[in-house]
Amino acid sequence: EKGGYEHFMLKEMYEQPKAIADTFSPRIKDGRIVIEELGMSEEEIRDIQKIMIVACGSASHVGYSGKYILEGLARIPVEVDMASEFRYRNPILDEHTLVIVVSQSGETADTLAALRESKKRGARVLGIVNVVGSSIAREADNVMYTWAGPEIAVATTKAYSAQLISMYLLAMKFAQVKGRLSEEETASMLEDLKALPAQVEMLLNNKENIQKFANRYLAAKDVFFIGRGIDHAISMEGSLKLKEISYIHSEAYAAGELKHGTISLVEEGTLVAAVLTQKELYKKMISNMEEVRTRGAFVMAVTCEGNTEVERAADYVIYIPETNPYFANSLAIIPLQLFAYYIAVGRGCDVDKPRNLAKSVTVE
Ligand code: M6R
């Protein structure tokens, strides 16, 4: 049932182009974003004063990406919370708040509890869910399904990618309704969206190079992932992927925050993975990379084609194709998933079923 792949995780990584296309295709009609399941009138969308995205683990990383996109495009303030924290902090929300709960399984106990708490307080709850008919799908006011298909590996890949797409669609929809996205901008974004599946496929096909590189780092003790803005969100996901399946300690940091403490952990040979997909932040990122490199770090960079300037501050560079800056997460995550995967394979770990973890966490 692994379809010739060695692990479910690899198979599911390879299913990402399809998961991405299946999630956006039914929601694009005649050059417009149409999300019928949203069940909200234009007036109701204009009435949203605040969005709260609540989720756990990788799904919460989608929330951090979503915050940048929703705020950037639709100019609606967004808060992101880990579901396990949300319920105990007496959150401020009312009927003008849209709570978005994100969950692959639709059964995560903390996320479900956060959903119930939100409804009790009068907010509208939208679920971004992968498993059809799951508890979260049943209890949310509205459900936008990610059409990734069943995901078996504990480490999420294709569901995560489909969740990102859902965030893009929502942000574009809200921006359209609020008159913040012109027809030309929409058309160009849709073109970039439609190009993603083939671009993801191309990045997946670079797996041998990433495997070779990963094999040099099988004994790594600590790995730091750094990025700014939306690239910080993807760094969190890259870091979680690595630690959960390879058992190598890793952390994600907002690149500018590193020198407020964590940089003291960088020593000769420490691997630092830098993600820089946002042009206006290239220079700042390169100087952060130089900071760690002068302290002996080995720097791996993920950046957009054409940013060859990065080569002076990195030891190993992976280029991703040009896309809309808001969509770059969908491409940058692919080499990071492959890197985590091959490190785990090289270390002989149980990739699909890492120790101490369950596919869905149904206890609080
Ligand atoms: O089923 P959910 O999306 O609600 O699960 C949330 C997290 O448990 C999940 O994303 C977890 O962090 C993954 N193992 C990460 O790969």
Side-chain angles (χ1 to χ4, degrees), residues 3-14:
Y5 290 95
E6 205 184 327
H7 296 102
F8 280 111
M9 185 180 171
L10 187 62
K11 172 174 180 269
E12 289 162 3
M13 282 193 277
Y14 266 85

PDB file of all heavy atoms in Angstrom, residues 3-14:
ATOM      1  N   GLY A   3       2.741   1.858  -2.297  1.00  0.00           N
ATOM      2  CA  GLY A   3       2.859   2.180  -3.718  1.00  0.00           C
ATOM      3  C   GLY A   3       4.304   2.208  -4.217  1.00  0.00           C
ATOM      4  O   GLY A   3       4.658   3.065  -5.030  1.00  0.00           O
ATOM      5  N   GLY A   4       5.126   1.297  -3.710  1.00  0.00           N
ATOM      6  CA  GLY A   4       6.505   1.212  -4.189  1.00  0.00           C
ATOM      7  C   GLY A   4       7.466   2.146  -3.453  1.00  0.00           C
ATOM      8  O   GLY A   4       8.673   2.089  -3.668  1.00  0.00           O
ATOM      9  N   TYR A   5       6.949   2.992  -2.598  1.00  0.00           N
ATOM     10  CA  TYR A   5       7.832   3.877  -1.826  1.00  0.00           C
ATOM     11  C   TYR A   5       8.301   3.166  -0.564  1.00  0.00           C
ATOM     12  O   TYR A   5       7.584   2.303  -0.036  1.00  0.00           O
ATOM     13  CB  TYR A   5       7.093   5.162  -1.423  1.00  0.00           C
ATOM     14  CG  TYR A   5       6.802   6.070  -2.582  1.00  0.00           C
ATOM     15  CD1 TYR A   5       5.571   6.028  -3.239  1.00  0.00           C
ATOM     16  CD2 TYR A   5       7.751   6.988  -3.023  1.00  0.00           C
ATOM     17  CE1 TYR A   5       5.298   6.860  -4.302  1.00  0.00           C
ATOM     18  CE2 TYR A   5       7.483   7.834  -4.092  1.00  0.00           C
ATOM     19  CZ  TYR A   5       6.260   7.768  -4.718  1.00  0.00           C
ATOM     20  OH  TYR A   5       5.985   8.594  -5.768  1.00  0.00           O
ATOM     21  N   GLU A   6       9.468   3.568  -0.083  1.00  0.00           N
ATOM     22  CA  GLU A   6      10.007   2.906   1.101  1.00  0.00           C
ATOM     23  C   GLU A   6       9.203   3.232   2.366  1.00  0.00           C
ATOM     24  O   GLU A   6       9.108   2.431   3.280  1.00  0.00           O
ATOM     25  CB  GLU A   6      11.466   3.332   1.279  1.00  0.00           C
ATOM     26  CG  GLU A   6      12.299   2.327   2.035  1.00  0.00           C
ATOM     27  CD  GLU A   6      13.716   2.839   2.258  1.00  0.00           C
ATOM     28  OE1 GLU A   6      14.229   3.578   1.382  1.00  0.00           O
ATOM     29  OE2 GLU A   6      14.284   2.519   3.309  1.00  0.00           O
ATOM     30  N   HIS A   7       8.678   4.434   2.416  1.00  0.00           N
ATOM     31  CA  HIS A   7       7.906   4.855   3.597  1.00  0.00           C
ATOM     32  C   HIS A   7       6.657   5.617   3.168  1.00  0.00           C
ATOM     33  O   HIS A   7       6.651   6.252   2.114  1.00  0.00           O
ATOM     34  CB  HIS A   7       8.740   5.796   4.483  1.00  0.00           C
ATOM     35  CG  HIS A   7       9.947   5.163   5.058  1.00  0.00           C
ATOM     36  ND1 HIS A   7      11.211   5.388   4.538  1.00  0.00           N
ATOM     37  CD2 HIS A   7      10.103   4.307   6.102  1.00  0.00           C
ATOM     38  CE1 HIS A   7      12.088   4.690   5.244  1.00  0.00           C
ATOM     39  NE2 HIS A   7      11.451   4.018   6.181  1.00  0.00           N
ATOM     40  N   PHE A   8       5.663   5.618   4.050  1.00  0.00           N
ATOM     41  CA  PHE A   8       4.479   6.443   3.780  1.00  0.00           C
ATOM     42  C   PHE A   8       4.860   7.917   3.666  1.00  0.00           C
ATOM     43  O   PHE A   8       4.308   8.653   2.861  1.00  0.00           O
ATOM     44  CB  PHE A   8       3.442   6.268   4.895  1.00  0.00           C
ATOM     45  CG  PHE A   8       2.631   5.011   4.751  1.00  0.00           C
ATOM     46  CD1 PHE A   8       2.786   3.962   5.644  1.00  0.00           C
ATOM     47  CD2 PHE A   8       1.721   4.879   3.718  1.00  0.00           C
ATOM     48  CE1 PHE A   8       2.047   2.794   5.503  1.00  0.00           C
ATOM     49  CE2 PHE A   8       0.966   3.720   3.569  1.00  0.00           C
ATOM     50  CZ  PHE A   8       1.139   2.680   4.460  1.00  0.00           C
ATOM     51  N   MET A   9       5.823   8.327   4.492  1.00  0.00           N
ATOM     52  CA  MET A   9       6.174   9.748   4.457  1.00  0.00           C
ATOM     53  C   MET A   9       6.659  10.165   3.067  1.00  0.00           C
ATOM     54  O   MET A   9       6.268  11.216   2.550  1.00  0.00           O
ATOM     55  CB  MET A   9       7.227  10.086   5.511  1.00  0.00           C
ATOM     56  CG  MET A   9       7.527  11.586   5.567  1.00  0.00           C
ATOM     57  SD  MET A   9       8.758  11.980   6.818  1.00  0.00           S
ATOM     58  CE  MET A   9       9.055  13.708   6.428  1.00  0.00           C
ATOM     59  N   LEU A  10       7.486   9.313   2.460  1.00  0.00           N
ATOM     60  CA  LEU A  10       7.998   9.645   1.124  1.00  0.00           C
ATOM     61  C   LEU A  10       6.848   9.638   0.105  1.00  0.00           C
ATOM     62  O   LEU A  10       6.714  10.539  -0.725  1.00  0.00           O
ATOM     63  CB  LEU A  10       9.097   8.658   0.720  1.00  0.00           C
ATOM     64  CG  LEU A  10       9.841   8.998  -0.577  1.00  0.00           C
ATOM     65  CD1 LEU A  10      10.583  10.331  -0.464  1.00  0.00           C
ATOM     66  CD2 LEU A  10      10.837   7.894  -0.951  1.00  0.00           C
ATOM     67  N   LYS A  11       6.006   8.642   0.217  1.00  0.00           N
ATOM     68  CA  LYS A  11       4.852   8.551  -0.685  1.00  0.00           C
ATOM     69  C   LYS A  11       3.994   9.811  -0.551  1.00  0.00           C
ATOM     70  O   LYS A  11       3.586  10.423  -1.538  1.00  0.00           O
ATOM     71  CB  LYS A  11       4.029   7.307  -0.323  1.00  0.00           C
ATOM     72  CG  LYS A  11       2.706   7.183  -1.052  1.00  0.00           C
ATOM     73  CD  LYS A  11       2.049   5.831  -0.728  1.00  0.00           C
ATOM     74  CE  LYS A  11       0.712   5.667  -1.432  1.00  0.00           C
ATOM     75  NZ  LYS A  11      -0.422   6.149  -0.631  1.00  0.00           N
ATOM     76  N   GLU A  12       3.757  10.199   0.692  1.00  0.00           N
ATOM     77  CA  GLU A  12       2.876  11.358   0.915  1.00  0.00           C
ATOM     78  C   GLU A  12       3.531  12.667   0.477  1.00  0.00           C
ATOM     79  O   GLU A  12       2.857  13.577  -0.006  1.00  0.00           O
ATOM     80  CB  GLU A  12       2.431  11.369   2.389  1.00  0.00           C
ATOM     81  CG  GLU A  12       1.452  10.210   2.642  1.00  0.00           C
ATOM     82  CD  GLU A  12       1.245   9.821   4.094  1.00  0.00           C
ATOM     83  OE1 GLU A  12       1.812  10.484   4.997  1.00  0.00           O
ATOM     84  OE2 GLU A  12       0.522   8.831   4.335  1.00  0.00           O
ATOM     85  N   MET A  13       4.853  12.735   0.601  1.00  0.00           N
ATOM     86  CA  MET A  13       5.538  13.930   0.072  1.00  0.00           C
ATOM     87  C   MET A  13       5.299  14.013  -1.436  1.00  0.00           C
ATOM     88  O   MET A  13       5.061  15.077  -1.981  1.00  0.00           O
ATOM     89  CB  MET A  13       7.038  13.872   0.375  1.00  0.00           C
ATOM     90  CG  MET A  13       7.366  14.232   1.811  1.00  0.00           C
ATOM     91  SD  MET A  13       9.138  14.519   2.031  1.00  0.00           S
ATOM     92  CE  MET A  13       9.726  12.872   2.234  1.00  0.00           C
ATOM     93  N   TYR A  14       5.367  12.844  -2.078  1.00  0.00           N
ATOM     94  CA  TYR A  14       5.170  12.806  -3.531  1.00  0.00           C
ATOM     95  C   TYR A  14       3.712  13.054  -3.941  1.00  0.00           C
ATOM     96  O   TYR A  14       3.431  13.334  -5.100  1.00  0.00           O
ATOM     97  CB  TYR A  14       5.701  11.481  -4.113  1.00  0.00           C
ATOM     98  CG  TYR A  14       7.126  11.669  -4.578  1.00  0.00           C
ATOM     99  CD1 TYR A  14       8.184  11.555  -3.706  1.00  0.00           C
ATOM    100  CD2 TYR A  14       7.400  12.071  -5.889  1.00  0.00           C
ATOM    101  CE1 TYR A  14       9.489  11.793  -4.110  1.00  0.00           C
ATOM    102  CE2 TYR A  14       8.691  12.318  -6.303  1.00  0.00           C
ATOM    103  CZ  TYR A  14       9.725  12.175  -5.409  1.00  0.00           C
ATOM    104  OH  TYR A  14      11.004  12.439  -5.822  1.00  0.00           O
TER     105      TYR A  14
END
